[in-house]
């Protein structure tokens, strides 16, 4: 037990601090547990959030981003509100390192454009229907958990992803698998929403009637803004994918709010542009 030996304990603490700096890991992560005897091979852990004031931030986020809008993807009645029951923080060193590498590539691409592609101006966001809905609370969440602040120079946001109660832990451990991604309206990609009501359309409950939303750090970069009524035909799924895989864009911003009165969606085609930070378990209130 290193705790019984002060010198070894000090050396271990110094090694932890050095690793945190070298790998650019968040100050709030529990590296001692990630490296301990019971640690996972790829330095991965799920940590329940115990602080009520922190959990309250997620409740505030759900309330802020809730909208009474229904799309054709909704299978169940839209609840009148969502109540957070618990929150789990995901700490996955391997996935986070891959995310940081991709974020740096996108950041350099945005900076190299003339004018720079990031940050997106307030004027442009106004033309696109307003700022990202999660933004007012997102920076408070990253600060509360001592996470890296969201980077404006690659248009980084916290966004929702709804999933099944049997799948959320697999995503947390192994990240999103693009091979399982749906061939949706905007092509084969990973779909994220700024509204919890939109992501609620894709969740299934556990035995306690709790539903899981992933709160994900997403590098949007330069978005390909699409507000066409039928984007799968015009510009077409493959064109939108190609604009990000081989073109000048890094994501698609599908503005269904403008053309059909529902929601905006953010789609990336590289799983390294998404890091699942939290699993937010909630209950539907009717």
């Amino acid at each position: 037990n290193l705790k019984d030996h002060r010198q070894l304990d000090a050396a271990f603490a110094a090694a932890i601090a050095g690793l945190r700096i070298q790998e650019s890991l968040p100050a709030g992560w529990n590296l001692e547990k990630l490296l301990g005897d019971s640690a996972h091979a790829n330095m991965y852990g799920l940590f329940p959030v115990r602080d009520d004031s922190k959990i309250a931030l997620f409740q505030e986020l759900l309330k802020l981003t809730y909208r009474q809008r229904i799309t054709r993807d909704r299978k169940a009645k839209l609840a009148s509100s969502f109540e957070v029951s618990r929150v789990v923080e995901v700490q996955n060193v391997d996935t986070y390192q891959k995310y940081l590498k991709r974020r740096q590539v996108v950041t350099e691409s945005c900076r190299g454009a003339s004018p720079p592609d990031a940050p997106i101006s307030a004027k442009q966001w106004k033309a696109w229907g307003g700022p990202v809905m999660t933004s007012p609370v997102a920076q408070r969440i990253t600060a509360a958990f001592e996470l890296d602040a969201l980077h404006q120079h690659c248009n980084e946001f916290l966004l929702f992803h709804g999933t099944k109660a049997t799948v959320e832990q697999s995503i947390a451990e192994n990240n999103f698998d693009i091979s399982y991604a749906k061939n949706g309206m905007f092509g084969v990609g990973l779909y994220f929403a700024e509204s919890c009501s939109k992501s609620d359309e894709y969740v299934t409950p556990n035995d306690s009637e709790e539903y899981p939303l992933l709160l994900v750090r997403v590098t949007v970069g330069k978005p390909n803004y699409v507000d066409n009524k039928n984007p799968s035909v015009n510009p077409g799924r493959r064109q939108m994918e190609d604009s990000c895989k081989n073109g000048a864009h890094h994501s698609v911003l599908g503005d269904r709010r403008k053309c059909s009165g529902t929601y905006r969606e953010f789609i990336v085609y590289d799983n390294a542009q998404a890091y699942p930070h939290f699993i937010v378990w909630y209950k539907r209130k009717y």
Side-chain angles (χ1 to χ4, degrees):
N1 184 355
L2 295 182
K3 298 291 185 183
D4 295 335
H5 305 278
R6 292 184 179 180
Q7 289 183 329
L8 289 176
D9 189 30
F12 183 65
I16 289 287
L19 177 65
R20 194 183 301 278
I21 294 172
Q22 179 180 331
E23 304 298 338
S24 301
L25 300 176
W29 279 17
N30 193 334
L31 295 191
E32 285 195 23
K33 287 191 176 180
L34 292 177
L35 287 168
D37 293 338
S38 60
H40 195 277
N42 66 349
M43 294 178 67
Y44 154 78
L46 296 176
F47 297 87
V49 177
R50 308 295 186 190
D51 188 328
D52 288 343
S53 65
K54 290 181 178 179
I55 293 175
L57 289 172
F58 296 90
Q59 184 62 61
E60 182 180 348
L61 185 64
L62 295 195
K63 183 177 180 180
L64 176 69
T65 63
Y66 174 88
R67 294 291 183 273
Q68 280 199 324
R69 294 168 184 163
I70 297 173
T71 80
R72 63 185 182 184
D73 289 343
R74 177 163 292 281
K75 304 297 189 296
K77 180 182 177 182
L78 176 61
S80 57
S81 64
F82 304 134
E83 182 178 285
V84 175
S85 54
R86 57 192 172 98
V87 179
V88 179
E89 183 179 5
V90 179
Q91 298 181 12
N92 189 321
V93 173
D94 181 62
T95 300
Y96 192 68
Q97 287 176 330
K98 291 175 181 176
Y99 176 84
L100 292 181
K101 289 179 181 178
R102 176 59 182 163
R103 185 178 70 179
Q104 184 59 35
V105 170
V106 174
T107 299
E108 292 174 359
S109 174
C110 290
R111 285 176 174 167
S114 183
D117 293 324
I120 296 171
S121 68
K123 181 179 179 181
Q124 184 63 75
W125 277 122
K126 184 177 181 180
W128 288 348
V132 175
M133 292 170 63
T134 57
S135 295
V137 182
Q139 291 288 18
R140 290 162 57 203
I141 289 175
T142 58
F145 286 86
E146 297 182 85
L147 303 174
D148 193 17
L150 296 171
H151 286 211
Q152 291 187 343
H153 295 292
C154 62
N155 295 317
E156 188 177 47
F157 302 100
L158 289 185
L159 300 169
F160 294 109
H161 181 84
T163 189
K164 300 176 181 178
T166 55
V167 174
E168 89 294 335
Q169 190 165 327
S170 177
I171 295 174
E173 182 175 351
N174 305 301
N175 200 15
F176 296 95
D177 188 340
I178 204 81
S179 67
Y180 289 101
K182 66 176 183 178
N183 185 23
M185 186 176 293
F186 302 96
V188 179
L190 303 174
Y191 286 62
F192 301 97
E194 61 183 335
S195 171
C196 61
S197 309
K198 174 58 178 172
S199 293
D200 175 69
E201 295 180 343
Y202 309 103
V203 297
T204 60
N206 61 16
D207 292 339
S208 300
E209 289 299 310
E210 295 177 307
Y211 297 84
L213 281 180
L214 296 174
L215 188 59
V216 185
R217 182 183 290 255
V218 180
T219 294
V220 170
K222 180 182 180 180
N224 181 0
Y225 177 77
V226 178
D227 61 355
N228 297 337
K229 188 74 173 179
N230 190 1
S232 60
V233 175
N234 179 25
R237 293 186 176 97
R238 301 295 84 82
Q239 191 279 339
M240 287 182 285
E241 292 173 15
D242 192 61
S243 72
C244 298
K245 292 180 177 180
N246 303 304
H249 298 88
H250 308 106
S251 65
V252 165
L253 198 177
D255 194 350
R256 306 300 293 167
R257 185 167 69 186
K258 178 181 178 180
C259 65
S260 61
T262 54
Y263 302 98
R264 295 188 302 191
E265 297 182 70
F266 298 78
I267 304 92
V268 299
Y269 305 89
D270 184 334
N271 71 340
Q273 282 176 232
Y275 178 80
H277 263 311
F278 300 96
I279 304 170
V280 182
W281 292 93
Y282 67 100
K283 294 192 174 185
R284 292 170 171 170
K285 298 296 179 180
Y286 295 94

